[in-house]
Amino acid sequence: MAEVVDNFDWDNVGANSFGGIYSKEERARLEEMYAGTLTTVEEEQVVKGTVVSVGDRDVIVNIGFKSDGLVPRSEFRDLADLKAGDEVEVFIEDQEDANGQLILSRKKAKIKQAWKAIYDALENDTILEGVVKRRTKGGLIMELDGVEAFLPGSQIDVKPIRDFDIYVGRRMEVKVVKINAAFDNVVVSHKVLIEKDLEKQREAILNNLEKGQILEGVIKNMTNFGVFIDLGGVDGLLHITDISWGRIAHPSEVLQLDQKLNVVVLDFDEAKKRISLGLKQLTPHPWDSLPQDLQPGSKVQGRIVNVADYGAFMEIVPGVEGLIHVSEMSWSQHLRNPQDFIKQGDVVEAQILTLDREDRKMSLGIKQLTEDPWTRADFGSKYAVGSKHNGLVRNLTNFGLFVELEEGVDGLVHVSDLSWTKKVKHPSEMVKVGDRLDVVVLELDVANRRLALGHKQLEENPWDTFQTVFTPGSTHKATITEKTDRGAVLELPYGIEGFAYPKSLAKADGGSPEVGESLDFRVVEFSKDDRRIVLSHTATYGQGQQDEDNRMSKFTKKKPTGGNAGGASAQGEGKAADLKKAEKSTLGDLDALSALRDRMMGNEREAAEQKLSTPAAKPAKAEAAPAEEAAPAEGGLLSTIADAASAVVDKAKDLAGDVVDTVKNLTSSDENADDKKDNA
């Protein structure tokens, strides 16, 4: 235990303590010397320091501060031979941390210095060197002394770059073109350095450029319409049509990227700096080497290179093409789409029709390789009038339809030859294109290549039978199918159509029938040749029936008048007497014969109706023959009597008609007055 000194003099402690022996002058000199060994530092500054020691984790650096600083060893990975005494630049992060230690960073010092260099390079247009670290979308990422910069793909080289991976790890010189300080983004370019070198070459090429000059170039880009060729600092366009004498769909069929080739200058625009190049012009034109033995009539083989609406182009040899018009592809008169016959890429055989070596034009034909069906020896017998065929409906028109019986043989079926009973307004009501139709030959004109066909002629003309069914004066049930201002269309039994005028449609109660309504109609007029039936509903009841009868017999109601000279009057009176005499002598006979004829006509009408209503009446079916043969046997005697009665009646009417005509000539002066009276 220390011994305690009694009566210690504390006033003399300062004089005898550490430093107490220095005078004021000595103390001031020592402080000045000590201050010279210390430096004042501020945070976030870059200063130079000396490496004191290198450890496994840290590097001790002396920056002249009151204490040494620590720097992570990982920040010196680029200096493998780092040792004590080396001088380095560091960034002051913190003068004194929680442990009283000075914190330094070499990485931040490099970044700050790099940003300073980047700004200086942008301002002074200087060149920086960096390393490509990795590839990214649209370009490359470079490191410029610790700062990452973006190098776009379009700024790597003057020609398009297709593989960015080859630049990873490579050192490149670049220029700073843009800085975004807010996001610390830097954009650099290597292309601008190349363009400066190429500018001199471009000027030299453009100054010496002329049409017809052959140059060597490299394909730098390829498009659908051609390729761009680098001629050594200046680009030229080689259009797809100037690559080959033959047709090509894409330049890649004959050329490749980065391929070297010789081209000829076709045109040059000094104002726009555009150069048009050609490749096929370096070889002779194929038409000049076309064999002389190729003449019209020669058969050739080639490939279809293009198909248009009007025909197809066939390439005989590359650069020599001929047109096969669609009309020369088939003997058919109906023009169709050329793709129905051939497709692009097909190899076909054709015959030369025309050949013009001067204009370099050629027309070809395919149908000439087959026989024309109209010139065959058996054509006339095969398509004789009355022969039946089955064909394909090719086309519809307002007046009819065209049926193809075989390739190149077409016939016209007129709209009136489609149906016996139905009034067809357009062929589409019965058939459509692509249907097959049974027809019969009506007319044949081989010289003009015309064939008239019919469809309804395959069946018996039902109007021969209708003539005995729809006799004038007979009454039938009909349905109104259509009404217009001119009248109404009626549907009669057996599918036949009739017509009624508006004044003949009125009902007994004064109303007007509507479409779809069924009424009784009386036949007023029947025309077999015109296939026309005129009917009237008003003629089926009361006064309308009487008016209709009067109208039908009006031609017999002409009154005599005395407006001529005496001789003519006497002659008229004589004729009138003869008329009365003839009427008196034949009246009884006429009435009896007329009754007999009406009875015979009724029997014949019943037989015709039975024939129409019996399905076996159609001539197309075999079982129809017995029924048709039986009809004449049953009614043969009646038909003979009816024909005889009709002959007598007709003869009597002819005699009476002569007398009536004579009287009518004598009384023509009173005709107008008589008409007025009838109208009243």
Side-chain angles (χ1 to χ4, degrees):
M1 184 175 179
E3 183 178 356
V4 179
V5 179
D6 296 333
N7 301 320
F8 182 77
D9 188 4
W10 291 98
D11 296 333
N12 295 324
V13 172
N16 297 325
S17 62
F18 177 78
I21 60 175
Y22 297 107
S23 62
K24 291 182 179 181
E25 292 79 5
E26 292 176 340
R27 186 180 182 88
R29 186 173 67 255
L30 291 173
E31 289 178 356
E32 183 179 355
M33 293 175 59
Y34 180 75
T37 61
L38 299 176
T39 58
T40 302
V41 297
E42 295 181 4
E43 294 180 358
E44 298 184 358
Q45 282 188 344
V46 178
V47 296
K48 287 185 178 182
T50 303
V51 177
V52 176
S53 63
V54 178
D56 295 335
R57 299 179 58 184
D58 298 316
V59 176
I60 300 176
V61 179
N62 180 18
I63 61 171
F65 195 53
K66 62 181 179 180
S67 62
D68 295 333
L70 295 179
V71 181
R73 180 70 176 86
S74 60
E75 296 184 8
F76 293 92
R77 284 177 297 182
D78 57 329
L79 300 177
D81 56 348
L82 182 66
K83 61 183 183 300
D86 291 343
E87 191 175 83
V88 294
E89 290 186 344
V90 291
F91 178 81
I92 302 175
E93 290 191 68
D94 195 352
Q95 292 185 0
E96 187 175 357
D97 64 359
N99 298 324
Q101 182 64 51
L102 174 65
I103 304 301
L104 305 176
S105 174
R106 180 171 179 266
K107 179 180 179 181
K108 292 184 178 180
K110 290 182 62 177
I111 293 176
K112 190 168 184 178
Q113 292 296 103
W115 275 106
K116 183 177 182 301
I118 290 172
Y119 277 101
D120 291 341
L122 178 63
E123 183 178 355
N124 302 323
D125 195 23
T126 56
I127 300 174
L128 298 178
E129 186 176 355
V131 179
V132 178
K133 303 297 293 183
R134 63 184 182 276
R135 173 184 175 177
T136 188
K137 183 178 179 180
L140 301 173
I141 299 297
M142 295 188 63
E143 182 179 343
L144 302 177
D145 293 333
V147 177
E148 290 188 347
F150 177 62
L151 175 59
S154 61
Q155 297 297 320
I156 298 176
D157 204 340
V158 292
K159 60 182 179 179
I161 303 300
R162 288 171 290 279
D163 186 10
F164 293 164
D165 292 334
I166 61 175
Y167 291 93
V168 177
R170 183 185 301 182
R171 297 190 67 85
M172 298 178 62
E173 291 184 342
V174 294
K175 274 193 173 184
V176 180
V177 295
K178 183 179 180 181
I179 298 177
N180 189 340
F183 298 97
D184 292 338
N185 291 336
V186 181
V187 181
V188 296
S189 172
H190 178 68
K191 178 181 177 180
V192 294
L193 300 178
I194 302 176
E195 288 179 340
K196 287 187 177 180
D197 297 335
L198 295 178
E199 186 64 30
K200 295 180 180 180
Q201 299 180 20
R202 183 183 295 109
E203 292 179 359
I205 293 174
L206 295 178
N207 292 334
N208 299 325
L209 197 64
E210 59 184 14
K211 294 182 180 180
Q213 184 179 5
I214 299 176
L215 301 174
E216 183 182 38
V218 179
I219 299 177
K220 61 180 294 186
N221 193 16
M222 191 173 294
T223 64
N224 293 330
F225 56 86
V227 296
F228 290 94
I229 297 180
D230 184 6
L231 301 175
V234 61
D235 294 342
L237 174 62
L238 175 60
H239 198 268
I240 188 173
T241 57
D242 293 317
I243 295 176
S244 173
W245 291 112
R247 289 177 181 257
I248 57 174
H250 195 272
S252 59
E253 296 180 10
V254 293
L255 300 176
Q256 296 179 354
L257 289 171
D258 300 328
Q259 179 182 348
K260 290 185 179 181
L261 71 166
N262 292 328
V263 290
V264 61
V265 178
L266 301 179
D267 196 9
F268 173 57
D269 188 345
E270 295 183 0
K272 298 181 179 180
K273 305 297 182 182
R274 293 180 180 176
I275 304 175
S276 298
L277 306 174
L279 180 62
K280 70 180 184 181
Q281 288 77 6
L282 298 177
T283 58
H285 200 289
W287 273 90
D288 299 335
S289 58
L290 198 65
Q292 294 297 325
D293 58 349
L294 285 181
Q295 298 295 334
S298 301
K299 296 181 180 179
V300 293
Q301 190 178 42
R303 181 175 63 91
I304 303 299
V305 294
N306 188 27
V307 180
D309 294 337
Y310 52 86
F313 291 91
M314 187 178 80
E315 184 182 59
I316 301 175
V317 295
V320 178
E321 298 177 1
L323 172 63
I324 307 175
H325 195 266
V326 65
S327 61
E328 304 297 339
M329 294 181 180
S330 171
W331 289 109
S332 177
Q333 298 179 359
H334 299 286
L335 299 183
R336 288 176 280 176
N337 193 324
Q339 293 190 358
D340 295 340
F341 301 96
I342 51 181
K343 301 290 187 297
Q344 185 171 343
D346 291 349
V347 177
V348 298
E349 188 176 12
Q351 180 177 323
I352 297 178
L353 304 181
T354 61
L355 180 63
D356 189 346
R357 296 178 182 269
E358 294 183 0
D359 293 339
R360 296 174 177 175
K361 294 181 179 180
M362 181 189 307
S363 62
L364 306 171
I366 296 179
K367 70 180 184 181
Q368 288 75 11
L369 300 179
T370 59
E371 184 181 6
D372 186 357
W374 286 85
T375 60
R376 289 201 309 259
D378 62 340
F379 185 83
S381 59
K382 182 177 180 180
Y383 297 102
V385 175
S387 60
K388 299 178 181 179
H389 306 273
N390 181 272
L392 184 67
V393 178
R394 284 292 187 186
N395 190 21
L396 301 180
T397 64
N398 293 329
F399 55 86
L401 57 93
F402 289 92
V403 177
E404 184 180 55
L405 303 182
E406 64 173 279
E407 188 72 22
V409 179
D410 301 323
L412 171 65
V413 181
H414 196 268
V415 67
S416 62
D417 292 322
L418 288 175
S419 175
W420 287 111
T421 59
K422 184 178 180 181
K423 292 184 179 180
V424 182
K425 298 180 181 179
H426 194 274
S428 60
E429 299 176 10
M430 295 188 62
V431 295
K432 60 180 181 295
V433 175
D435 290 349
R436 300 201 67 85
L437 186 69
D438 292 328
V439 292
V440 61
V441 178
L442 304 180
E443 296 179 11
L444 175 62
D445 187 354
V446 179
N448 295 319
R449 294 175 178 260
R450 293 179 180 176
L451 197 62
L453 306 174
H455 176 67
K456 70 179 184 181
Q457 288 78 4
L458 295 171
E459 299 178 356
E460 182 183 356
N461 187 358
W463 285 86
D464 295 335
T465 307
F466 292 156
Q467 188 176 14
T468 62
V469 176
F470 300 98
T471 57
S474 60
T475 302
H476 305 271
K477 180 75 69 174
T479 302
I480 301 176
T481 59
E482 182 182 351
K483 285 186 67 176
T484 62
D485 295 339
R486 299 177 57 186
V489 179
L490 311 175
E491 183 181 358
L492 293 166
Y494 317 114
I496 193 172
E497 289 185 352
F499 183 79
Y501 291 100
K503 64 181 182 180
S504 301
L505 293 173
K507 295 182 180 180
D509 58 0
S512 178
E514 300 296 332
V515 175
E517 190 171 352
S518 297
L519 301 171
D520 289 334
F521 284 86
R522 184 179 181 185
V523 178
V524 177
E525 178 184 346
F526 181 91
S527 176
K528 171 185 173 182
D529 297 333
D530 297 335
R531 290 188 291 170
R532 173 181 173 86
I533 302 178
V534 180
L535 303 105
S536 172
H537 175 65
T538 58
T540 61
Y541 61 88
Q543 185 63 32
Q545 182 177 6
Q546 183 178 356
D547 294 343
E548 194 67 35
D549 293 340
N550 294 338
R551 188 183 68 81
M552 296 178 62
S553 60
K554 184 178 178 181
F555 69 93
T556 62
K557 297 180 179 180
K558 297 298 181 180
K559 296 180 180 181
T561 177
N564 293 331
S569 176
Q571 184 179 5
E573 292 176 358
K575 293 294 183 178
D578 293 339
L579 176 60
K580 291 180 179 180
K581 182 179 181 180
E583 290 178 348
K584 183 177 181 181
S585 61
T586 62
L587 181 59
D589 297 336
L590 289 177
D591 291 342
L593 292 175
S594 296
L596 178 60
R597 186 185 63 176
D598 292 341
R599 187 165 61 254
M600 296 302 100
M601 290 295 291
N603 294 334
E604 186 176 356
R605 176 182 173 186
E606 292 178 359
E609 290 178 349
Q610 182 178 4
K611 181 179 179 181
L612 290 174
S613 61
T614 303
K618 295 186 178 179
K621 296 185 179 180
E623 59 268 25
E628 292 179 356
E629 293 175 358
E634 295 176 359
L637 179 60
L638 295 177
S639 299
T640 303
I641 298 174
D643 292 341
S646 298
V648 175
V649 173
D650 293 340
K651 186 174 181 180
K653 284 188 175 182
D654 290 341
L655 178 62
D658 293 339
V659 178
V660 171
D661 290 342
T662 303
V663 175
K664 182 176 65 174
N665 292 334
L666 296 175
T667 60
S668 58
S669 60
D670 294 338
E671 184 176 0
N672 294 334
D674 191 33
D675 290 340
K676 291 181 179 179
K677 183 178 180 181
D678 292 340
N679 292 334

